[in-house]
DNA sequence: TTCAATGCAAAGCTTTTGCATAAAG
DNA sequence: CTTTATGCAAAAGCTTTGCATTGAA
C-alpha cells in the first residue's frame, strides 16, 4: 500500500482518531488498541500517511509516536512538549515568525515548524511541581 | 546500570566513537558493529548516557539514532538539525535567551535546551538543493 | 469485475532482561 | 572485598511481509 488509492473505513477511523487527538502524540500500539483494524493495517496506513505528509513521526521519550500534521508546512504554529506530563502544546503566537526569521537570517537555516518540538516544562507542571512521573 | 559509577573500557570506546562522529548520527547497530562491546552493553551505555544528557537520541528517517551532545545541560546553546543531511548544528547565539524568555513569559513554559531540537534545512542543503536523499 | 486494502500469522528487527562472571574502586 | 558493568542468550517489543480474502470503485 505504498500509495493510497481507495478510501476505507479503517483508514477513516485512524484519521478520526488522530484528529480527535491533534494535541497528543500516539504510539502505533495505542492506535492499534483504539481502532478496529489490524496491526499491519495500522502500520501500513501510518507509513502511507507519513509519506504523504499527513502525519508526522516523532520520538517521544524514546518511543516513536505519530501525530496529525494539520498544517502542511505553512501553518503558523510550533509544538511545545512537556517532558513532565507529555502534553503537546500548540503555540500559535507570532514569535514563531521571529524565530524562523532569526535562524534563516543569522544561520541560513530554514526551520521546519512541522517537525520541530521544543521540550520543557509546561505551566501546570512547573507550578505544581509536576504530577505524573 | 541506571547510573554510571565506574569507568570502563567499553564505555570509553563508545564515547570515543561518538566523539569521532560528533557530526553524524549513528544507529545502535552501527555502534555495535564498530565497538568491541556486547549489544546489551551498547544499549545500556547509550541509554545511561542519554539519561545523563551526554548523548541525544533522534529519529533519522524512521530509525532511532544517537549522537554526542557535546555540551552538558547548562550550556548556552540549542540544537539545529538538518532533515536533509542529518547534520547537527550547535547554535550558540544569544537568541536562545530570547527564545527561552519568550516561552517562559508568554506561555509559562520552561524550555529545556538540552532536549530541544529545531528541525529544518541547513545552509548547505538549502543552497545546493540538497545532496543526499 | 478488478485491483487495492485488510487481516492473520509468521518472520525480521530492535531493545531489554536475567544471571553468572569479570572488572573497577 | 564489595559493588557495578559486562556478556551471553533468552525474552519481549515493535514493525514488516506474504498470501488468501474482503471490499472499493
Amino acid at each position: 500500500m505504498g500509495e493510497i488509492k481507495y478510501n476505507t473505513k479503517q483508514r477513516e477511523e485512524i484519521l478520526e482518531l488522530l484528529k480527535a487527538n491533534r494535541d497528543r502524540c500516539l504510539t502505533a500500539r495505542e492506535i492499534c488498541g483504539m481502532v478496529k483494524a489490524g496491526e499491519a493495517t495500522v502500520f501500513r496506513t501510518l507509513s502511507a500517511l507519513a509519506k504523504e505528509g499527513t502525519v508526522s513521526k516523532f520520538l517521544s521519550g524514546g518511543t516513536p509516536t505519530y501525530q496529525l500534521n494539520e498544517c502542511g508546512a505553512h501553518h503558523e504554529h510550533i509544538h511545545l512538549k512537556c517532558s513532565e506530563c507529555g502534553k503537546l502544546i500548540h503555540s500559535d503566537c507570532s514569535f514563531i515568525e521571529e524565530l524562523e526569521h532569526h535562524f534563516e537570517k543569522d544561520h541560513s537555516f530554514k526551520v521546519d515548524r512541522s517537525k520541530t518540538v521544543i521540550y520543557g516544562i509546561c505551566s501546570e507542571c512547573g507550578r505544581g511541581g509536576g504530577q505524573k512521573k
Side-chain angles (χ1 to χ4, degrees), chain A:
Chain A
M1 195 187 73
E3 263 133 281
I4 293 175
K5 310 252 172 133
Y6 295 171
N7 282 331
T8 64
K9 294 177 194 171
Q10 289 86 341
R11 175 159 45 252
E12 299 229 320
E13 209 188 326
I14 292 171
L15 277 168
E16 281 313 308
L17 178 63
L18 289 167
K19 278 177 195 161
N21 290 276
R22 328 166 119 44
D23 58 339
R24 289 186 56 204
C25 280
L26 300 173
T27 62
R29 176 145 301 277
E30 289 175 312
I31 295 170
C32 287
M34 298 166 97
V35 147
K36 54 177 183 314
E39 289 189 318
T41 299
V42 170
F43 279 102
R44 280 189 279 232
T45 302
L46 287 173
S47 77
L49 293 172
K51 189 177 294 175
E52 285 191 344
T54 309
V55 307
S56 298
K57 190 177 184 182
F58 297 109
L59 206 47
S60 180
T63 323
T65 59
Y66 299 84
Q67 186 176 32
L68 197 67
N69 215 193
E70 27 177 358
C71 30
H74 308 302
H75 198 71
E76 294 301 327
H77 82 238
I78 215 166
H79 293 130
L80 305 179
K81 185 157 180 73
C82 179
S83 309
E84 194 77 20
C85 66
K87 187 165 47 188
L88 190 72
I89 300 152
H90 298 250
S91 167
D92 271 306
C93 80
S94 64
F95 180 77
I96 308 310
E97 285 157 38
E98 240 176 274
L99 186 153
E100 292 194 342
H101 186 258
H102 166 77
F103 287 110
E104 177 130 31
K105 270 290 190 225
D106 291 15
H107 305 270
S108 307
F109 188 89
K110 273 206 166 67
V111 173
D112 179 345
R113 285 174 214 165
S114 67
K115 286 187 192 157
T116 296
V117 181
I118 295 180
Y119 287 87
I121 306 296
C122 75
S123 53
E124 284 174 33
C125 295
R127 171 182 316 147
Q131 27 248 57
K132 317 174 188 174
K133 208 263 122 130

